[in-house]
Structures are given as structure tokens and as C-alpha cells.
Amino acid sequence: MTRTVYVNGSYLPETEATVSIFDRGFLMADGVYEVTSVLGGKLIDFAGHAKRLERSLNELDMAAPVTTDDLLAIHRELIARNDITDGLVYLQITRGSAGDRDFAFPDPATTPSTIVLFTQNKPGLAQSPQADKGLKVISIEDIRWGRRDIKTVQLLYPSMGKMMAKKAGADDAWMVEDGFVTEGTSNNAYIVKDGKIITRELSTDILHGITRAAVLRFAAEAQMEVVERNFTIDEAKDADEAFITSASSFVMPVVEIDGAAVGTGTPGSVARRLREIYLDESLKAAI
Ligand code: PDD
């Protein structure tokens, strides 16, 4: 099926949607993005994603081309036009095209930002068999730039990380800086020890995950103890459980780190419970 996508105010077949070769997203990775999941035809935590988008744009001095209300309407229109029950909506905003290549930012008054949205159809997204199996991760050095709290489209190193994992027979990579785990290539990282959920605290070192915020809130409501602090790969290998969170994987258990089984080597009860609570509560609040 040819998807209908959104580009700068128009709904078009994906085969007819174009962006300039001078677009700064293409030339400079000068753009930000969001990925919002869709379950049962409804958006999960749209407000959270819209808020983080606004923050990313502000941090980069980039103008928002549409209002949050318009953004919601575009998301919904794409879900309807593409008949998405379960899947993802990808949104990207770049600093636009000044019609040439130049490091200096163009004047936003004459160079409007580019906005693109498309859907990804993923039937049964919440029933992923991976959730029953758990993920194998490897550790790699985190050599990304220092503003990982901004959700930019600079995804070359995370892509290389996924390839390193694939080559090693694993599913993903956890990145390590100064001896401590920062996050996964496209997710936040957690361990569980003696019933405590441990995850790195928010800073410019990691993306402020929308799923992370919701999961930590639900964990606290369920009287589970959460500790926001650094942890090492050795501590993770020695943990009772490990898991990741993201908009596309929700809560996903990690069962192996650098070839060593975590806990029993099967998805742990805390991760399983958090996944259940997260999906239940998010579905209830979906719009
Ligand atoms: N990735 N950390 C990184 C580096 C990420 O790229 C992501 C999301 C997360 C989790 O954030 P959230 O819970 O808001 O999805 C953490 C998205 C899913 C992606 O790039 O596809």
C-alpha cells in the first residue's frame, strides 16, 4: 500500500513527497524528531512527545512550523488515512532549505522550517514476541555529542551501535561513558537489584524518554522503589533484572549483557509487571 505522508502542509502519496537537496536536515543533520506509538488507532502520550519536541526546537533556536493542536490533527489524519491500528508516527522538523549549503543558520523569516510526518504500520506492536524472550545487548563506548537531551536526527552512531550489536549476535547496544551506562542506542536503560529500579538520572547525557517518565511515575504509584543514579556494566551483569523503555518497545526486558545472563537469563517479574502497567495505563489515556 502506498502510504499517505505529510510534507509542509500537504498530504501526499509517499512516492510524490519531496524535500530539497539543500535541506539542512539532509546536509547538516540540522533537525529534530519524535516517534509516537499508536495502539488501537490512538496516540500514546502525544502530549509528552509534543512537549519534548517544543523543548528540542527551543534548544536549537528553531521555529515550530505548526501549533501543538495542528500537530495532533496531522497525527490523527495520517492514522486515519493510512488505516493504522498499531504502529508509529514519525515526525521530523528541520531548519529548512536556504537553497544552498552554508554552515550559518538561515534567517527563519525567509527560510521556513521543513516538517515531515509519516506512519509505520506495525500490527500487534504491543504483543511483540521479544517481550517474552528478552533482548541481548552488548556494551559500546558512547562517543555521541554532548547534547543527547535534544532529540536530533544525528543517528549515525546509534545506527553503528545497532550494527555492532547485530554483528555480535545481539539485539542492541548499551552505551558507556566514563565507566557508566548512559542509555541504549534508541532507548533508556534500567537495572533492578533487590527490588529497586535503578536508572541514570536526567541530564544532557541522555534523552529524557517520554516512556521513562511514564514508567517511573507508574512504578512510584505501584509502591516500587526507583533510584536515579549511574550504574556500570558490571553492576548490570550482576543485577536481578534489566530492561529498556522507548515509545516503540514500551518496556522490554534485557536478559543478556555482553554474553552474560542477567539474573535467571529470562525476563524478570519487575520488567514484566511494568510492561503490563505501562500498556494498561497508556491505553486508557490514549487519545
Ligand atoms: N528512540 N534514548 C534514545 C537515544 C532514544 O533514541 C529514545 C527513543 C529513547 C526513548 O525515548 P522515548 O521513551 O521518548 O521513546 C531514549 C525512538 C523510539 C527512535 O529513535 O525510534
Side-chain angles (χ1 to χ4, degrees):
M1 192 184 112
T2 308
R3 264 179 293 198
T4 297
V5 303
Y6 178 91
V7 186
N8 297 327
S10 303
Y11 292 94
L12 297 167
E14 63 185 49
T15 45
E16 287 170 31
T18 57
V19 172
S20 166
I21 64 158
F22 299 114
D23 194 278
R24 289 182 62 89
F26 179 62
L27 294 180
M28 309 280 185
D30 188 356
V32 299
Y33 77 108
E34 281 297 331
V35 176
T36 306
S37 57
V38 180
L39 292 178
K42 289 184 173 176
L43 291 156
I44 303 296
D45 219 335
F46 173 81
H49 289 281
K51 205 162 163 211
R52 184 173 61 191
L53 174 69
E54 194 184 322
R55 180 176 181 276
S56 293
L57 290 167
N58 278 339
E59 291 297 312
L60 295 177
D61 249 336
M62 225 186 267
V66 293
T67 64
T68 300
D69 286 349
D70 289 342
L71 213 52
L72 177 58
I74 300 165
H75 276 72
R76 285 178 161 161
E77 187 66 27
L78 284 178
I79 291 168
R81 289 195 189 213
N82 293 290
D83 204 10
I84 304 292
T85 302
D86 296 339
L88 304 169
V89 181
Y90 177 87
L91 150 76
Q92 180 169 331
I93 297 173
T94 75
R95 208 180 302 272
S97 161
D100 202 355
R101 181 174 183 268
D102 188 351
F103 281 82
F105 291 174
D107 181 351
T110 48
T111 302
S113 39
T114 299
I115 175 165
V116 169
L117 285 94
F118 59 81
T119 53
Q120 293 182 283
N121 191 24
K122 296 193 182 284
L125 181 63
Q127 289 88 44
S128 165
Q130 276 287 6
D132 299 321
K133 260 175 56 192
L135 301 176
K136 294 177 182 177
V137 304
I138 59 165
S139 61
I140 61 173
E141 194 65 24
D142 195 340
I143 60 166
R144 296 173 301 161
W145 79 324
R147 287 303 307 274
R148 302 155 192 160
D149 56 313
I150 309 173
K151 197 163 173 62
T152 76
V153 296
Q154 303 174 77
L155 297 177
L156 179 55
Y157 189 64
S159 297
M160 289 167 72
K162 295 258 192 216
M163 293 311 291
M164 288 184 243
K166 203 171 165 182
K167 206 169 156 199
D171 304 296
D172 203 357
W174 278 11
M175 295 180 279
V176 176
E177 187 172 55
D178 300 329
F180 296 104
V181 173
T182 50
E183 58 189 332
T185 58
S186 61
N187 43 68
N188 291 113
Y190 308 73
I191 57 173
V192 181
K193 186 72 178 175
D194 301 326
K196 287 190 186 74
I197 299 162
I198 301 159
T199 194
R200 192 178 176 107
E201 65 182 355
L202 295 181
S203 69
T204 50
D205 297 339
I206 61 168
L207 187 74
H208 301 188
I210 302 307
T211 321
R212 177 189 184 280
V215 164
L216 294 192
R217 195 174 65 244
F218 297 142
E221 283 167 13
Q223 318 296 329
M224 295 159 117
E225 193 180 343
V226 176
V227 184
E228 293 180 71
R229 65 158 172 86
N230 284 348
F231 61 89
T232 64
I233 285 290
D234 279 346
E235 191 181 359
K237 283 182 183 168
D238 194 42
D240 301 325
E241 291 184 35
F243 64 93
I244 58 162
T245 63
S246 77
S248 50
S249 67
F250 312 116
V251 178
M252 189 62 77
V254 167
V255 294
E256 198 180 294
I257 301 174
D258 286 337
V262 179
T264 59
T266 56
S269 57
V270 173
R272 280 208 309 262
R273 183 157 170 236
L274 280 176
R275 182 180 174 86
E276 216 175 281
I277 298 174
Y278 177 78
L279 286 171
D280 277 359
E281 294 298 322
S282 302
L283 269 167
K284 271 193 241 162
I287 58 167

